Amino acid sequence: MEPESTPTPSTPSTESAVTTCYRHPKVESHVRCIRCDRYICPDCMREASVGHQCVECVKEGARSVRQARTIVGGRIAATPVVTSVLIGLNVLAYLAEVARPEIVDRFAMLSARLVGPDGLYYVYEPGHPSGFHAEGVVAGQWERLLTSGFLHLPPTEGTFGLLHIVMNMLSLWQLGRIVEPMLGRVRYLALYLLATLGGSVFELLLTDVNTESVGASGAIFGLGAAYYVLARRVGADMRTVNRFMAFLLLWLLLSAGLTSWQGHLGGLLTGAAVTLAYAYAPRTPRRALIQTAACVGVLVLLAVVAVARVSELTGGGTAL
């Protein structure tokens, strides 16, 4: 009978020595994250100043780094994306109105007019006869205050024709690519829309009620005012800026007989008011809240003025 053999200790399995990525358990890995010390595969490695970090540690580090901000507290936006989108919307609206001219009649800035049974337009009167109906802001078409800023003169109409949209879009590009990076995208868009509304409200107040007006000029004058305010805020060389503002104001005067000076003036003043609130709000954690409140205040003021004017035109009743 053969003696029983003494069992020998088992050697460690080679499989137990294999380390794998904590995110991809099937991938062998021998590199550790320098922050959390977990194994990471090549797909999860992110180069650091020394060694490598995992994806989660990189994200955590990015959250702890203070993001750069513009002079008014907005996020840095090196590319004028909003300006490009606004130009695209204006061009698309122009192509639509060329294809369907009735778009201008429906969405241009118009305080009030009457449409007779024959389909012709008549001067607005509050107590109009039966068979006539009102059009414009007095008829509750409040969207005209904003949509008119994205329409332009048809190619063969008015003094400028096709040059109307060409000049406005060139001006928007020149100013937008300067102002948008200084404000950040959200504040820039709010400024643009409020300046558009400001121009339309001034037209509602000061223009003949039966006059249609279109164009992005109100918003562009608002951007011009923003450019001036921001240049002073950052201490820029004001010689070039002052020449630009002098030209802008001169154009406001000389073009009064050809364009809507009321819309230009309204956009200029609204843009200046909004940008002053942006630029000189206290640099505290509540700065964004103060700037938002200022924008809301401007919007409410414009709305109150518009409603009061419509109430005056309708003889005391307001169309909603």
Side-chain angles (χ1 to χ4, degrees), residues 226-248:
Y227 173 50
Y228 179 81
V229 172
L230 292 170
R232 291 190 65 86
R233 179 67 178 82
V234 300
D237 183 354
M238 295 301 294
R239 287 175 295 181
T240 301
V241 181
N242 288 335
R243 284 196 295 268
F244 167 78
M245 284 303 297
F247 168 77
L248 201 64

Side-chain angles (χ1 to χ4, degrees), residues 89-138:
L89 290 175
N90 277 274
V91 171
L92 287 175
Y94 192 72
L95 295 176
E97 71 181 66
V98 169
R100 299 181 62 110
E102 61 270 20
I103 289 178
V104 175
D105 283 336
R106 175 57 186 83
F107 293 105
M109 177 55 203
L110 174 69
S111 298
R113 70 180 171 205
L114 293 178
V115 182
D118 52 5
L120 299 178
Y121 297 135
Y122 296 87
V123 176
Y124 174 79
E125 296 178 359
H128 49 269
S130 61
F132 289 76
H133 68 274
E135 282 188 347
V137 179
V138 297

Side-chain angles (χ1 to χ4, degrees), residues 68-89:
R69 294 283 176 172
T70 67
I71 186 67
V72 301
R75 292 186 177 180
I76 298 293
T79 306
V81 173
V82 177
T83 298
S84 300
V85 171
L86 289 171
I87 292 174
L89 290 175

Side-chain angles (χ1 to χ4, degrees), residues 60-262:
E60 183 181 349
R63 285 193 296 267
S64 64
V65 175
R66 186 175 181 179
Q67 298 296 319
R69 294 283 176 172
T70 67
I71 186 67
V72 301
R75 292 186 177 180
I76 298 293
T79 306
V81 173
V82 177
T83 298
S84 300
V85 171
L86 289 171
I87 292 174
L89 290 175
N90 277 274
V91 171
L92 287 175
Y94 192 72
L95 295 176
E97 71 181 66
V98 169
R100 299 181 62 110
E102 61 270 20
I103 289 178
V104 175
D105 283 336
R106 175 57 186 83
F107 293 105
M109 177 55 203
L110 174 69
S111 298
R113 70 180 171 205
L114 293 178
V115 182
D118 52 5
L120 299 178
Y121 297 135
Y122 296 87
V123 176
Y124 174 79
E125 296 178 359
H128 49 269
S130 61
F132 289 76
H133 68 274
E135 282 188 347
V137 179
V138 297
Q141 296 172 347
W142 296 97
E143 68 277 2
R144 289 177 180 265
L145 296 171
L146 188 60
T147 57
S148 58
F150 291 87
L151 301 175
H152 289 82
L153 291 173
T156 57
E157 292 187 17
T159 305
F160 299 101
L162 183 61
L163 283 177
H164 187 213
I165 186 172
V166 172
M167 291 189 299
N168 274 351
M169 293 304 100
L170 286 175
S171 299
L172 175 54
W173 174 249
Q174 293 295 334
L175 283 169
R177 64 180 182 171
I178 298 173
V179 176
E180 182 178 346
M182 297 181 75
L183 292 181
R185 291 168 184 166
V186 175
R187 289 168 176 80
Y188 173 76
L189 180 60
L191 167 70
Y192 187 93
L193 295 178
L194 285 171
T196 300
L197 290 174
S200 295
V201 170
F202 267 64
E203 290 177 7
L204 181 64
L205 286 173
L206 304 174
T207 306
D208 181 72
V209 296
N210 203 48
T211 301
E212 283 187 351
S213 58
V214 292
S217 301
I220 292 170
F221 269 75
L223 296 183
Y227 173 50
Y228 179 81
V229 172
L230 292 170
R232 291 190 65 86
R233 179 67 178 82
V234 300
D237 183 354
M238 295 301 294
R239 287 175 295 181
T240 301
V241 181
N242 288 335
R243 284 196 295 268
F244 167 78
M245 284 303 297
F247 168 77
L248 201 64
L249 295 175
L250 183 62
W251 174 249
L252 176 64
L253 295 175
L254 295 179
S255 65
L258 305 173
T259 62
S260 171
W261 65 267
Q262 300 91 338

